Amino acid sequence: MSVRRTTAALGAVAAAALAVTGLTPGSASAHGALSSPVSRIAACYAEGPEHPQSQVCKDLVADSGTQPLYDWNEVNIADANGQSRQIIPDGHLCSANRDKYRALDWARTDWPATPVAAGQTDVSFRVTAPHRGTMTLYITKQGYDPTQPLKWSDLDDTPIAVYDTVASAPSGYYTFTANLPARTGRQLIYQVWQRNDSPEAFYGCADVVFGQSGAAAQAAAPKAPTEAQILAGESRSTVSHHGHGGTETIATSDVAESRSAGGTLETALSGSAVLAAGALGLLFWSRRRAAARAGE
């Protein structure tokens, strides 16, 4: 093989290796949100991003546009790695300190709230990408002031629920029970879902109110997005919905993500390693052939 042909071949292999290394997903994977009690972002999405009904959701769209609502299931930190308290500052818990979701941190008393009572309650989480991990729910302490930005110290140290999630959700939901302590008035439930197969974590805030069980309270309670709304909004979302949750059993979430995004980073790195090894082999072979010819 001539020097020119060898150089060209190596250049082509190197370019292929670089291309494979760059095969990270073009869009993030969506993962879900609390649907009972309803999280702030899910409630606003259910109202309709283009025509929200409540004043707080109208203000959210006026401030941040409709995209945060179409991406209702994406409030995450990719590299949280179990360090949520260290990396999310006070006042930014509901947004996970992401500017895109900054409106979720607003300290207001008009966020739609789900009526609850002390004792065991059913929790439902609409999951669009199941993952192995732990979902932990906290509730604010008695005396919590909803007109002040939420701080870590506002949350009771004892979780109201700790649920081990798996990488499949045939119904499209994670369901479990939480034990609500005695509280009065408006409170907030804070969700941290930390994956154990990745450093990624997901977050949510759900407003609840104790002591309001009448028809008026139920009528004012927030609604979760319907399946029709979720499907209708997929084309406007910037995150991947397909292949996750629903009525499909997912063997491993990472496999599902690789199918929907065209390959994971792990696959890309493995592919680039193989190509790099091939490039080195080609180089050694060409040198040995050249040496053999020189000795003839």
Side-chain angles (χ1 to χ4, degrees):
M1 180 180 286
S2 67
V3 173
R4 178 177 298 177
R5 291 174 63 189
T6 300
T7 302
L10 289 175
V13 173
L18 287 173
V20 173
T21 303
L23 282 178
T24 53
S27 62
S29 238
H31 306 278
L34 283 167
S35 60
S36 178
V38 189
S39 69
R40 289 177 174 180
I41 197 163
C44 286
Y45 177 69
E47 289 186 15
E50 307 302 326
H51 304 287
Q53 303 301 308
S54 64
Q55 188 60 51
V56 68
C57 294
K58 291 178 181 178
D59 292 345
L60 183 154
V61 171
D63 175 83
S64 305
T66 58
Q67 199 59 56
L69 299 187
Y70 284 114
D71 297 343
W72 59 275
N73 44 4
E74 188 247 351
V75 184
N76 73 332
I77 297 177
D79 58 351
N81 200 30
Q83 302 298 308
S84 297
R85 289 179 182 264
Q86 289 74 33
I87 61 179
I88 301 178
D90 284 343
H92 299 272
L93 277 66
C94 297
S95 68
N97 201 33
R98 293 183 57 183
D99 186 65
K100 175 180 178 179
Y101 299 108
R102 61 182 178 269
L104 300 177
D105 291 318
W106 288 344
R108 298 173 52 154
T109 59
D110 60 345
W111 287 105
T114 301
V116 294
Q120 282 200 338
T121 187
D122 293 330
V123 175
S124 179
F125 185 94
R126 179 62 173 96
V127 58
T128 53
H131 300 296
R132 294 182 297 277
T134 301
M135 189 172 298
T136 308
L137 302 185
Y138 301 90
I139 193 168
T140 45
K141 300 173 182 176
Q142 184 62 36
Y144 159 69
D145 184 355
T147 67
Q148 298 298 314
L150 181 68
K151 305 186 298 295
W152 286 105
S153 60
D154 291 327
L155 302 176
D156 201 324
D157 292 334
T158 302
I160 59 172
V162 178
Y163 176 72
D164 292 331
T165 63
V166 295
S168 67
S171 69
Y173 291 84
Y174 290 137
T175 56
F176 52 98
T177 59
N179 189 26
L180 296 178
R183 293 285 189 272
T184 58
R186 180 176 283 265
Q187 303 290 332
L188 189 143
I189 291 175
Y190 187 63
Q191 160 239 316
V192 179
W193 180 21
Q194 176 64 60
R195 293 176 64 173
N196 60 22
D197 57 357
S198 161
E200 189 177 26
F202 317 98
Y203 306 88
C205 282
D207 295 270
V208 296
V209 59
F210 287 76
Q212 295 184 10
S213 57
Q218 293 295 334
K223 305 296 188 294
T226 65
E227 295 305 306
Q229 287 176 314
I230 292 173
L231 288 172
E234 284 186 16
S235 63
R236 300 289 298 273
S237 177
T238 63
V239 293
S240 172
H241 289 246
H242 299 289
H244 304 299
T247 59
E248 182 180 20
T249 299
I250 310 300
T252 61
S253 58
D254 291 334
V255 169
E257 285 181 14
S258 69
R259 290 174 180 168
S260 64
T264 61
L265 179 59
E266 179 181 355
T267 304
L269 291 176
S270 298
S272 62
V274 171
L275 289 173
L280 289 174
L282 180 60
L283 177 60
F284 290 142
W285 176 84
S286 63
R287 286 182 174 177
R288 290 184 63 185
R289 187 180 180 98
R293 285 182 174 177
E296 291 177 353

